[in-house]
Amino acid sequence: MQITLDKLKINQKGTIVAVKGQGVTRRRLFDMGVTPGALVTLIKLAPLGDPLEINIRNYELTLRKDEAKNVILEVEDN
Amino acid sequence: MIRVALAGNPNSGKTTLFNSLTGSTAHVGNWPGVTVDKKEGTYKKGKEPVNIIDLPGIYSLSPYTPEEVIARNYIIDERPDCIINIVDATNLERNLYLTTQLLEMDVPVVIALNMIDVLDKNKDKIDIKGLEKEIGVPVVAISALKEENLTTLMDEVINFSKVERKGTTILKKCKAYPIIEHIQKQLEDDNLFSSLFHAIKLAENDEIEIKMHPKQYEYVLKEKENIKDPIFENDLEAIIADARYKYISKHFSSKLTKSDRLEEIKDKNGNFVKKEKRSISDRIDRVLTNRVFGILIFVVILFFVFHLTFGEDLFYLSAMGAFSSLGDEFALASGTTFEGILFSSGGIQSPGVFLQTVVIGFTDWITELVSQGLTSLGAYNWAVAFICDGLLAGIFSVLSFLPQILLLFLFFSFLEDSGYMARVAFILDRIFRKFGVSGRAFMPLIMGFGCSIPAMTNTRTLATEKERIATVRVIPFFSCSAKLPILTACAGAIVSLFGVGNADLITLGMYFSGIIIAIIALLFMRNTTLRGETPPFIMELPAYHLPQFKSLMIHLWDKAKHFIKKAFTIILISNILIWFLQSFTPSWQYIEYVEGEGFLTSVTTNDSILAQIGMIIQPLFTPLGFGSQLGSFGWVFAVGAITGLIAKENVIATFAMLGAVVANVIDPSTLPGSLELYEGASDVALMIQATGINIPGIIAFIVFNMTTIPCFAAVATAKAELKKGTLKNTIAFWLITSYIAASAFYLIGTWWWTLFIYLALAAGVIVFIYFYNKKHPIKPQGAATI
């Protein structure tokens, strides 16, 4: 099943399939290792519900839900 | 001398390595045109001295942040003899992404594989020889923190820097490579340095390269139509980024074998189960960014930082009445030199206030000594006054703020280095995004309550130039500690004379007004002159660690030097000027004033050049409630407002001096005794009596001081921190904002119905901006420019 990163549940894992969007935001995501094939785990949400904290390539990255919407993941059905 | 550039990701231990290698030889400058620190130093322990340049911490060499542009320009234009690429062994994949780009340049690279001690502790294993073979350049395992293997690293660097090296790439199997190869050959025929790097960046749609090689870019555009990737189609930028990471995981990070990090935990039924062990950093983070307590913990930390720096009643002993009950014990100490330094009637002092008291005590002592010395030598009175009140007072007024500014710096550097600042941005981003800035803007803004100068310097962590400018401009609205005396004195005078309200509530209300004005100004700027996309918030949350003492001290020392240099020149000159203007009449007659004794000459400050200037500009402040309507003594408010532009401490100091003039007209003994409760309030009360200013007028005076040009030292800092040409507009912004805000407070306070006029005007402006912006959409953001 494919979902966008902002829909991931806490501690749920997914594999990146595609990164949409354009310009600075997309380039930044690539540079930080958010590229197809990478495994992502959602660690937590900020106290006010946004931004997100994810674990990718063995480090912690934070990004907003708006930016996370561009990242498409393959997750296991449950 | 061999020149070596140190490059690596932020949080990879780069600063620690730089400090360990260069020690006391390091010095900080600025990269031309930008305010990113440029650190340089010399490594002397090798067979040859090595000059080391610390490049900014970066994740990539893409052209979107000033740091990345600086790093790549340095390597391309200055051609260092070697690059030390520091790589965090605990975060191999993302760190090596930068490495793959550095390797594409025609410069020798040595990889310093850092945090090898952490790897050992975690029982992870890394095949260094295998990694070295795959990458093709020397790899040296080090621990920057424990200073392990640094000699081996530097020997390797010295040897390797003598070697010619051509750029290599891991993109040979990538679909874009034929295009890259073709362009590289063309560029190489033009004898271009690092042709491979340029060719790859061009294929990546890099804006800087497109401008430099438009002809070759046409070729890229034409050829990429033939590429068909099942996922990325013909998006070369994505294809290349993907190819880099895929190659890294397959060939490089596979050299790392991780231990399984499992620990045995007893579950509910008493059986032992294996679970993944949580690191200490994870456990700390669970608490600090907790959904329920995260914000509360943050507020408490912030309170302690400010309380330890500015608090006069450290343990709230005085507030709890403990001082009176302990009276006997303290009586022993009272009258000794400890009184006033360690504690005052207000309670035991915080370290910040304690240090400030020590500095003031010391500088007062010097002034006294100089004054006595000069008098005994038979110097003229005006000469003694010039040296002591003009020259020394100017220098010392800056020095007296240094301890608190440095302490504030120390606390904030500690929070920054420990990794907590990134979490603060994480916690608060949701709120601050609404005002057009990211969560990272919070720290500089809150530091503004202490002092605008460190706060403005702290904006360096912000992602975009527009966000920085907007933040620097509203920092002064977060009322700094030098503005507090104005607030308390004016509030005290209002309460005592007019018998309304509560001084603490008025002061607090003014602080909140400042914040509200800041928010309005931010929203206004981000929708008009500083309009732009909300900057992306994609940030690493580094693991928590205890900051290194040495780094903190080096950092602090740099700041102290910077502050003294910047503030000294400007404050000193302005102080001398003010002293001169208020001590002489237009016909060069000297006005002699002695504290406690009054004026010794027939002319008073009312006859000074300053007063004459004050009377000329007085009408300007009429719409603000402290202009022409105040009559012949009204110029004191005008002068107070003007001297406040130089330094906010001047406002109450000016009032004190002018109070002596007014005292000839109003008998101070007729004033209410309650004024004694508030520091400086009696001088303000004298002014109020002499001028007949109303409450909205006084409030407008406070608002003006809070939102106008903060002080010359802050202007100098803003000038250094902002891009060239922005300072003019920033000063205009402060003047206009303070004028509008203060007049609004005065007019609405005096004639309440004017509120509706203001509301109607505001609505008109909002509607206009809305429709204008709708017609003119924002252009997408391009490459960073320097």
Side-chain angles (χ1 to χ4, degrees), chain B residues 4 30 58 64 204 222 255 317 399 405 502 546 557 570 600 627 657:
Chain B
V4 170
N30 266 342
I58 48 175
Y64 292 114
E204 280 184 318
K222 202 180 82 207
K255 300 284 178 269
L317 292 175
L399 278 186
I405 287 177
N502 168 301
L546 200 64
W557 175 236
I570 208 137
L600 303 182
M657 194 169 288

Side-chain angles (χ1 to χ4, degrees), chain B residues 725-743:
Chain B
T726 345
L727 184 72
K728 253 192 334 223
N729 294 338
T730 304
I731 291 176
F733 165 80
W734 282 329
L735 290 174
I736 293 169
T737 309
S738 57
Y739 206 83
I740 294 174
S743 63

Side-chain angles (χ1 to χ4, degrees), chain B residues 37-91:
Chain B
D37 280 343
K38 179 188 189 180
K39 284 190 283 185
E40 258 181 272
T42 316
Y43 174 77
K44 289 173 180 163
K45 289 176 204 151
K47 52 186 174 186
E48 271 181 73
V50 181
N51 181 27
I52 300 178
I53 294 100
D54 190 20
L55 297 179
I58 48 175
Y59 295 106
S60 165
L61 290 171
S62 58
Y64 292 114
T65 71
E67 285 85 359
E68 287 167 358
V69 180
I70 288 167
R72 79 191 242 175
N73 284 356
Y74 181 81
I75 299 170
I76 291 169
D77 300 337
E78 306 289 328
R79 302 190 194 185
D81 299 312
C82 186
I83 299 171
I84 303 176
N85 176 207
I86 182 161
V87 168
D88 176 357
T90 63
N91 191 350

Side-chain angles (χ1 to χ4, degrees), chain B residues 102-115:
Chain B
L102 291 171
L103 289 172
E104 285 155 6
M105 295 177 143
D106 295 344
V107 179
V109 178
V110 172
I111 292 170
L113 195 63
N114 191 25
M115 309 212 196

Side-chain angles (χ1 to χ4, degrees), chain A residues 14-43:
Chain A
T15 309
I16 299 175
V17 181
V19 180
K20 292 186 171 170
Q22 54 174 340
V24 192
T25 309
R26 184 155 181 260
R27 177 77 223 188
R28 198 94 207 123
L29 287 171
F30 285 156
D31 288 346
M32 299 305 282
V34 183
T35 58
L39 188 70
V40 178
T41 317
L42 183 70
I43 306 286

Side-chain angles (χ1 to χ4, degrees), chain B residues 197-494:
Chain B
F197 174 80
H198 290 287
I200 292 171
K201 285 290 158 204
L202 198 61
E204 280 184 318
N205 252 334
D206 183 298
E207 290 185 31
I208 296 175
E209 297 296 331
I210 294 172
K211 269 182 213 142
M212 275 165 60
H213 314 287
K215 217 180 77 203
Q216 282 81 357
Y217 187 58
E218 271 171 37
Y219 175 82
V220 174
L221 288 179
K222 202 180 82 207
E223 285 299 309
K224 80 175 192 179
E225 293 308 319
N226 301 328
I227 293 179
K228 288 275 173 292
D229 187 277
I231 304 171
F232 306 109
E233 293 168 5
N234 60 3
D235 181 351
L236 293 184
E237 199 177 351
I239 292 175
I240 293 174
D242 180 60
R244 284 190 201 280
Y245 270 111
K246 291 242 162 76
Y247 193 94
I248 291 167
S249 354
K250 196 170 164 202
H251 298 270
F252 299 162
S253 50
S254 53
K255 300 284 178 269
L256 179 76
T257 339
K258 291 186 109 182
S259 74
D260 57 2
R261 279 193 179 69
L262 294 179
E263 60 179 351
E264 291 203 325
I265 295 175
K266 234 188 216 172
D267 71 0
K268 279 176 253 164
N269 308 324
N271 302 322
F272 284 98
V273 282
K274 286 202 165 178
K275 262 187 107 177
E276 199 172 334
K277 206 174 170 178
R278 272 206 203 95
S279 69
I280 299 170
S281 177
D282 280 349
R283 274 180 253 175
I284 297 174
D285 201 47
R286 292 211 141 216
V287 180
L288 291 181
T289 58
N290 184 284
R291 268 204 97 149
V292 184
F293 300 109
I295 293 181
L296 190 73
I297 292 171
F298 164 69
V299 170
V300 171
I301 290 176
L302 206 63
F303 168 78
F304 274 105
V305 166
F306 276 89
H307 187 58
L308 285 172
T309 314
F310 298 105
E312 302 215 329
D313 190 0
L314 188 58
F315 301 111
Y316 290 101
L317 292 175
S318 174
M320 293 184 299
F323 255 46
S324 48
S325 61
L326 285 172
D328 292 344
E329 315 207 356
F330 278 100
L332 286 174
S334 82
T336 67
T337 37
F338 292 114
E339 193 181 7
I341 295 181
L342 285 177
F343 64 92
S344 66
S345 57
I348 293 177
Q349 289 169 346
S350 67
V353 177
F354 163 70
L355 287 171
Q356 189 186 30
T357 319
V358 171
V359 171
I360 290 176
F362 181 67
T363 54
D364 280 355
W365 178 71
I366 293 180
T367 312
E368 186 65 32
L369 220 64
V370 171
S371 155
Q372 280 171 3
L374 286 172
T375 317
S376 66
L377 286 172
Y380 290 113
N381 279 350
W382 66 263
V384 178
F386 169 72
I387 290 173
C388 294
D389 302 340
L391 215 63
L392 291 181
I395 298 173
F396 292 159
S397 73
V398 181
L399 278 186
S400 71
F401 274 92
L402 195 59
Q404 284 172 328
I405 287 177
L406 288 185
L407 207 59
L408 201 62
F409 254 134
L410 183 68
F411 286 129
F412 280 93
S413 312
F414 184 90
L415 293 179
E416 181 93 57
D417 289 1
S418 66
Y420 184 61
M421 265 336 179
R423 267 76 181 187
V424 172
F426 172 70
I427 293 175
L428 297 170
D429 181 69
R430 181 76 197 263
I431 303 172
F432 277 76
R433 196 186 330 163
K434 291 204 162 61
F435 310 138
V437 291
S438 75
R440 279 188 260 193
F442 180 77
M443 268 306 150
L445 291 177
I446 207 78
M447 281 173 90
F449 282 129
C451 176
S452 294
I453 294 160
M456 285 177 180
T457 315
N458 197 267
T459 58
R460 289 177 183 190
T461 53
L462 299 182
T464 68
E465 190 65 30
K466 284 181 177 172
E467 192 187 2
R468 275 197 78 189
I469 298 172
T471 311
V472 163
R473 286 181 182 167
V474 300
I475 279 172
F477 303 170
F478 290 74
S479 210
C480 77
S481 60
K483 289 176 187 169
L484 184 62
I486 308 175
L487 288 176
T488 48
C490 290
I494 290 175

Side-chain angles (χ1 to χ4, degrees), chain B residues 460-666:
Chain B
R460 289 177 183 190
T461 53
L462 299 182
T464 68
E465 190 65 30
K466 284 181 177 172
E467 192 187 2
R468 275 197 78 189
I469 298 172
T471 311
V472 163
R473 286 181 182 167
V474 300
I475 279 172
F477 303 170
F478 290 74
S479 210
C480 77
S481 60
K483 289 176 187 169
L484 184 62
I486 308 175
L487 288 176
T488 48
C490 290
I494 290 175
V495 172
S496 302
L497 278 185
F498 300 97
V500 287
N502 168 301
D504 289 342
L505 281 184
I506 294 175
T507 307
L508 201 66
M510 294 321 293
Y511 270 101
F512 276 108
S513 309
I515 298 174
I516 290 166
I517 295 170
I519 291 172
I520 295 171
L522 272 180
L523 284 173
F524 181 79
M525 282 189 286
R526 293 297 277 164
N527 282 299
T528 55
T529 51
L530 294 174
R531 217 170 138 225
E533 292 167 330
T534 319
F537 185 74
I538 303 167
M539 195 175 69
E540 181 186 2
L541 293 175
Y544 288 93
H545 65 99
L546 200 64
Q548 210 196 355
F549 181 75
K550 196 167 140 194
S551 292
L552 282 179
M553 286 303 126
I554 290 173
H555 196 59
L556 208 60
W557 175 236
D558 288 341
K559 291 286 180 247
K561 275 197 297 196
H562 181 82
F563 174 75
I564 292 174
K565 222 163 66 187
K566 277 270 165 338
F568 246 48
T569 38
I570 208 137
I571 289 253
L572 188 60
I573 293 166
S574 68
N575 236 66
I576 292 171
L577 192 72
I578 286 282
W579 176 85
F580 198 74
L581 292 178
Q582 72 185 12
S583 302
F584 285 92
T585 66
S587 53
W588 304 119
Q589 208 178 341
Y590 176 58
I591 302 163
E592 197 170 2
Y593 170 75
V594 177
E595 225 180 284
E597 290 175 43
F599 290 94
L600 303 182
T601 42
S602 61
V603 282
T604 66
T605 310
N606 221 8
D607 306 299
S608 65
I609 305 174
L610 195 65
Q612 305 300 318
I613 297 173
M615 285 167 201
I616 294 168
I617 55 167
Q618 193 179 347
L620 272 180
F621 295 105
T622 310
L624 278 55
F626 49 97
S628 301
Q629 64 267 62
L630 300 186
S632 63
F633 280 110
W635 64 269
V636 292
F637 282 98
V639 165
I642 297 298
T643 55
L645 303 184
I646 294 161
K648 288 289 171 281
E649 303 85 56
N650 285 345
V651 178
I652 293 302
T654 310
F655 275 13
M657 194 169 288
L658 301 176
V661 187
V662 182
N664 296 333
V665 188
I666 309 271

